[in-house]
Amino acid sequence: GPWKTRPDTRAISRNWRRASSEAFRLASTSSATSAGASASASRPALQSTGSGDSSSRPWSVTAIEKVMVGQIHVLESMAQIGFLEFRDKLNPASGFQSMQFRELEFASGQKDERILNSFKEDEYAYERLKRRYEAPSLADAFWALLERSGFTVESHDERVAAIVKILSKPETHADLFIMQDLLIDHDENISLWRYHHVMMVERMLGMKRGTGGSDGVGYLMTTLTKKFFPEIWEARTHLKIEDRG
């Protein structure tokens, strides 16, 4: 295999130690809150230099997100008419207004000023999201980590090239290779959650308009291509066998 040296799993655990413990602490709260806490806690964890805890595993964050994907189907255990009755009581509220899910997006690196401004009438939510918007994201922390490791990551193309280099010789950058794969896991899990959410909504409601006035399933379908770390995904396209040198 490509592994000529054993990955420094202790270093990886140090990087994700705080993310894991925070994610477990909030595992009993709502799905979006748990995921948001995981992503947010991962940012300082990437910068942490503290000693590692051998019982802490970086994969706990993405493991929690995998549970989230399955949880959404609990709603499908309801009869459609019953789902419609309780949904009607939520009108005109909308999932678009979910502060926790927007925190997850902002903390991961998917920031949109228009979404931030849509919360201006809710002082608490706006101030909380504004802090997330202005703070470095998980994506920012990862690219800063690569820069500290000697990579040039100022532009989109440079970031793609850096990931291609890591993917080409994972044994040379073992910790970074595993870290970028964990970020892909995080991104993929949230994309899967979005997809399962769309399927659940269509199964229960068909093509009805959303409670907040959106196009319902039509709008949700437009969110499926969103990525937190587009450069990491794009690098796969440019990877070649001859890059191993």
Side-chain angles (χ1 to χ4, degrees), residues 116-117 119-120 122-130:
L116 172 64
N117 290 335
F119 284 85
K120 277 190 172 180
D122 184 336
E123 183 178 355
Y124 173 78
Y126 179 75
E127 290 302 319
R128 185 167 177 133
L129 286 172
K130 188 170 184 246

Side-chain angles (χ1 to χ4, degrees), residues 22-91:
E22 180 70 359
F24 275 124
R25 185 178 70 81
L26 294 171
S28 61
T29 62
S30 71
S31 298
T33 303
S34 295
S38 302
S40 179
S42 297
R43 178 184 54 78
L46 282 170
Q47 302 164 339
S48 174
T49 58
S51 59
D53 179 352
S54 61
S55 66
S56 177
R57 293 290 182 267
W59 295 270
S60 61
V61 175
T62 53
I64 288 172
E65 292 174 339
K66 286 180 172 63
V67 172
M68 286 166 42
V69 174
Q71 283 180 334
I72 197 166
H73 294 288
V74 172
L75 293 171
E76 295 174 355
S77 65
M78 300 178 65
Q80 282 70 27
I81 191 66
F83 186 93
L84 198 60
E85 287 175 350
F86 106 84
R87 174 185 180 267
D88 189 59
K89 297 182 186 302
L90 299 177
N91 195 51

Side-chain angles (χ1 to χ4, degrees), residues 194-211:
R194 292 183 192 273
Y195 178 75
H196 283 251
H197 179 223
V198 171
M199 292 296 97
M200 181 276 294
V201 171
E202 186 171 7
R203 174 174 174 168
M204 303 303 285
L205 299 171
M207 301 302 291
K208 287 183 175 63
R209 291 187 64 81
T211 50

Side-chain angles (χ1 to χ4, degrees), residues 128-149:
R128 185 167 177 133
L129 286 172
K130 188 170 184 246
R131 288 195 296 271
R132 297 286 192 195
Y133 187 86
E134 294 173 349
S137 68
L138 181 57
D140 294 329
F142 176 70
W143 298 121
L145 174 63
L146 261 62
E147 189 172 31
R148 293 195 302 273
S149 301

